[in-house]
Amino acid sequence: MKIKSAELACVCGPTSKFPIYDMPEVAFAGRSNVGKSSLINSLLCRKNLARTSSSPGKTVTINFYNVNNEFFLVDLPGYGYAKASEAERAKWGKMIEKYLNNRVNLTMVILLVDIRHAPSKDDVLMYDWICKSGLNTFVVATKLDKIKRSQVDKQKKLIRETLGMKSSENIYTFSSLSKQGREELLKCMSEQMGLDVNE
């Protein structure tokens, strides 16, 4: 898939009504500070489309990005930020659940985890919840450039075992710095949405 255009189409807060679109949607979920904004910018070849922050927990909205006028990439709020109040965390959780439960055109959910660490309890809960909802789920291990190549298989095994994934299920790896894994992820997204991989 070639990224020809990408723009922020809609921002939804806790009390917002979700927009109605007739194009496929791909949602990105993950803990605060997992590198979600950096991955989205790298994936879409844009520097500051998704705002990055040195302080985790800053994204408290659901952001819809129109890509190629063919599909929407949906950035969900980062979860698990320890310094956020319990009320705030509950509010973000309800937003995410509301979105995942009600989007007719939601094609797949991509769960991001940090390849350097075992998935957290929040990651496990999110993965289990998405799977039980019957949604297509794909796991992407971010920050690939932060570990040695010899450690990749070991860390992927740790992630797979912690999440309770089947041995046949693939874990994609991604580096926002080098863009390693970008083409593989775009191909996966294209195939799931029924779009032409080569266009």
Side-chain angles (χ1 to χ4, degrees):
M1 181 197 301
K2 295 178 182 176
I3 303 300
K4 301 166 189 173
S5 64
E7 62 180 7
L8 179 61
C10 184
V11 176
C12 293
T15 60
S16 305
K17 286 187 177 180
F18 294 137
I20 299 174
Y21 297 127
D22 60 357
M23 292 189 289
E25 294 178 8
V26 177
F28 282 73
R31 278 176 59 84
S32 297
N33 212 27
V34 75
K36 188 153 48 67
S37 296
S38 296
L39 181 145
I40 290 171
N41 286 330
S42 179
L43 196 66
L44 300 180
C45 291
R46 300 292 187 273
K47 283 188 176 180
N48 297 303
L49 186 62
R51 293 180 182 176
T52 59
S53 173
S54 57
S55 301
K58 289 292 185 183
T59 303
V60 293
T61 56
I62 295 179
N63 301 329
F64 293 77
Y65 299 95
N66 183 335
V67 184
N68 293 347
N69 289 317
E70 289 184 315
F71 71 96
F72 284 90
L73 188 159
V74 183
D75 182 11
L76 300 177
Y79 55 80
Y81 183 46
K83 290 185 180 179
S85 69
E86 193 171 323
E88 280 183 302
R89 293 200 297 269
K91 182 171 62 178
W92 302 342
K94 286 179 181 177
M95 281 179 65
I96 294 171
E97 188 173 345
K98 179 182 173 185
Y99 169 82
L100 295 176
N101 275 333
N102 294 287
R103 298 306 285 180
V104 175
N105 295 323
L106 179 57
T107 305
M108 60 191 293
V109 181
I110 296 176
L111 178 64
L112 306 184
V113 296
D114 190 326
I115 198 168
R116 298 173 297 177
H117 313 293
S120 68
K121 290 181 180 179
D122 288 322
D123 292 324
V124 175
L125 286 171
M126 176 60 76
Y127 180 76
D128 286 347
W129 189 88
I130 296 170
C131 290
K132 288 174 182 176
S133 297
L135 298 167
N136 286 329
T137 313
F138 295 84
V139 176
V140 175
T142 63
K143 306 190 180 185
L144 180 60
D145 51 279
K146 301 290 186 182
I147 66 170
K148 295 178 181 178
R149 190 175 297 178
S150 60
Q151 296 176 302
V152 172
D153 288 342
K154 175 186 173 185
Q155 293 305 109
K156 285 173 71 174
K157 182 181 178 183
L158 176 63
I159 292 168
R160 183 175 282 108
E161 290 177 349
T162 305
L163 292 178
M165 297 174 67
K166 297 176 183 176
S167 58
S168 58
E169 292 178 294
N170 188 27
I171 294 176
Y172 295 85
T173 54
F174 197 98
S175 167
S176 298
L177 196 63
S178 68
K179 294 190 178 181
Q180 187 175 343
R182 179 178 179 272
E183 295 304 319
E184 187 181 11
L185 183 54
L186 284 174
K187 182 180 178 183
C188 168
M189 291 166 58
S190 298
E191 291 173 346
Q192 289 298 311
M193 290 185 286
L195 301 177
D196 193 325
V197 174
N198 299 311
E199 286 190 1

